[in-house]
Amino acid sequence: MDWFNNWIDKLHETFIEGDRYMTLLEGFGETLKITFGALLIGIVIGTFVAIVKVLCEGNKKLKIFDVLCNIYLTVIRGTPVVVQLLIMFFIVFVSAEDGTMVATLTFGINSGAYVAETIRSGILAIDKGQTEAGRSLGFSAGKTMWLIVLPQAFKNILPAIGNEMIALLKETSVAGYVAVVDLTKAGNQIRNTTYDQFNPIICVALVYLTVVLIMTRLLNMLERRLRKSER
């Protein structure tokens, strides 16, 4: 049992002394803030891009908007999110003092490119008769999309949006590149301060794992409820 007592003493020295556990809690708060903020931005951008791409199909007058959306999707999905983060912080928002804001915006823009394709596939999965019914009632193409098609599409893609949130949570671990003290950065700071190479890293990994397991559990519950509602 000596090893166990030594380990407990090491945990106390690493996290309790100097209230270093507060650094982890604050970092965890930053991680959640960036994750949910980026997801919200990603859904807004993704919805807009998906609608534009669907409405542009077969409409030559809107071709320029389709081209712009394709450029956005190609650039964002074709470059690493870390590089995008560095560009946003050191070039676009070079005078920014709040790295959290820059990180949230960057991850949101990145997420929007992936959410857009998810939403577009959800829209295309809706029977065309729904669109025709809306148009026959006198709705414009935009109103038909917003009032009839999108609500049904979102119901179908909610699980995919949940998976995107889980992916975002893990991607935010690179936010430390732009001076954001997120969960990973906080663990690294404790490691550098205490010279404990094991406990801070394992603790950070366990926190991520726990949150992902909780999110996965909630996502599975949501999927089961959606399946029941379709019966």
Side-chain angles (χ1 to χ4, degrees):
M1 293 294 292
D2 288 342
W3 68 267
F4 182 76
N5 292 330
N6 291 335
W7 179 58
I8 294 299
D9 291 340
K10 190 63 176 178
L11 286 178
H12 185 276
E13 179 184 341
T14 300
F15 297 110
I16 305 303
E17 291 182 8
D19 293 333
R20 281 185 282 270
Y21 69 93
M22 289 299 299
T23 303
L24 278 180
L25 291 177
E26 292 171 0
F28 181 55
E30 289 295 300
T31 293
L32 292 181
K33 187 189 303 183
I34 295 172
T35 300
F36 289 107
L39 182 66
L40 180 60
I41 294 173
I43 290 175
V44 172
I45 294 176
T47 301
F48 175 77
V49 172
I51 292 175
V52 169
K53 286 188 66 64
V54 170
L55 294 179
C56 285
E57 290 184 3
N59 191 334
K60 294 183 178 180
K61 294 181 180 179
L62 301 176
K63 184 67 176 178
I64 182 63
F65 297 105
D66 187 46
V67 171
L68 292 175
C69 287
N70 286 333
I71 292 174
Y72 161 72
L73 294 173
T74 300
V75 171
I76 296 301
R77 292 194 297 176
T79 54
V81 67
V82 176
V83 175
Q84 297 168 19
L85 193 60
L86 295 175
I87 290 174
M88 291 290 280
F89 190 76
F90 293 108
I91 299 177
V92 179
F93 295 104
V94 66
S95 60
E97 297 180 357
D98 186 3
T100 300
M101 180 275 294
V102 176
T104 302
L105 181 60
T106 303
F107 286 116
I109 293 173
N110 179 270
S111 177
Y114 297 94
V115 172
E117 289 303 296
T118 300
I119 295 177
R120 190 171 76 92
S121 64
I123 292 173
L124 296 178
I126 302 300
D127 191 278
K128 291 185 178 180
Q130 299 288 326
T131 301
E132 294 171 357
R135 298 306 299 273
S136 67
L137 291 174
F139 291 150
S140 64
K143 281 189 174 181
T144 301
M145 176 68 68
W146 184 255
L147 298 176
I148 298 177
V149 177
L150 270 183
Q152 299 179 68
F154 267 109
K155 180 181 178 181
N156 294 333
I157 65 172
L158 273 177
I161 297 296
N163 287 326
E164 175 62 21
M165 183 170 63
I166 292 174
L168 261 177
L169 174 72
K170 292 182 289 186
E171 287 178 356
T172 58
S173 61
V174 301
Y177 278 93
V178 292
V180 176
V181 184
D182 67 317
L183 179 60
T184 303
K185 183 72 171 180
N188 197 44
Q189 287 183 349
I190 294 175
R191 182 180 62 84
N192 292 333
T193 301
T194 62
Y195 301 102
D196 183 351
Q197 305 298 321
F198 178 81
N199 290 309
I201 296 175
I202 295 301
C203 180
V204 168
L206 289 175
V207 172
Y208 277 115
L209 178 61
T210 301
V211 175
V212 168
L213 289 176
I214 293 173
M215 287 183 172
T216 303
R217 177 66 175 172
L218 294 175
L219 188 58
N220 290 336
M221 292 171 60
L222 175 63
E223 289 178 348
R224 285 197 297 269
R225 177 162 295 188
L226 288 175
R227 284 198 297 267
K228 288 181 180 179
S229 66
E230 291 174 354
R231 294 175 183 173

